[in-house]
Amino acid sequence: QAADSKREQFRRYLEKSGVLDTLTKVLVALYEEPEKPNSALDFLKHHLGASAPENPEVEALRLEVAEMKEKYEAVLEENKNLKTKVKVY
């Protein structure tokens, strides 16, 4: 009986923390895959890892990419303006 009580407490803990809901969603996604992946474990790792907290290095790289995109757009605009000025009429 004590083991059943501990199991029930653990189940409630998993339910309260959202683990059961998340696992259920990932398993349903795997079930609904038209072509099953070779490794179900890799599928689970990939889909569970997608909701993991961001690595600080990844966030820094995202910011860097955003900055580079802005600079790229500015250079394109500058290039366009310069081409307009250089045109011979």
Side-chain angles (χ1 to χ4, degrees):
Q1 182 110 12
D4 286 343
S5 175
K6 279 190 169 193
R7 283 185 187 150
E8 183 59 27
Q9 286 177 340
F10 186 64
R11 188 196 62 74
R12 282 195 304 265
Y13 162 73
L14 292 176
E15 189 174 340
K16 184 178 175 184
S17 63
V19 171
L20 288 180
D21 188 45
T22 301
L23 283 174
T24 300
K25 286 178 183 177
V26 173
L27 290 172
V28 167
L30 176 59
Y31 175 78
E32 291 175 346
E33 276 292 307
E35 291 192 26
K36 303 298 182 239
N38 291 332
S39 172
L41 186 56
D42 285 344
F43 180 92
L44 294 175
K45 286 179 183 178
H46 173 76
H47 283 79
L48 289 173
S51 61
E54 281 292 325
N55 179 336
E57 189 176 319
V58 171
E59 185 57 31
L61 290 171
R62 284 182 204 255
L63 290 173
E64 186 177 346
V65 166
E67 288 175 21
M68 292 296 147
K69 284 182 179 178
E70 285 180 25
K71 288 180 181 178
Y72 171 74
E73 293 298 326
V75 168
L76 283 180
E77 186 64 27
E78 182 182 15
N79 187 357
K80 180 181 165 187
N81 292 337
L82 290 171
K83 283 181 178 179
T84 302
K85 288 180 182 178
V86 171
K87 281 186 179 177
V88 179
Y89 294 100

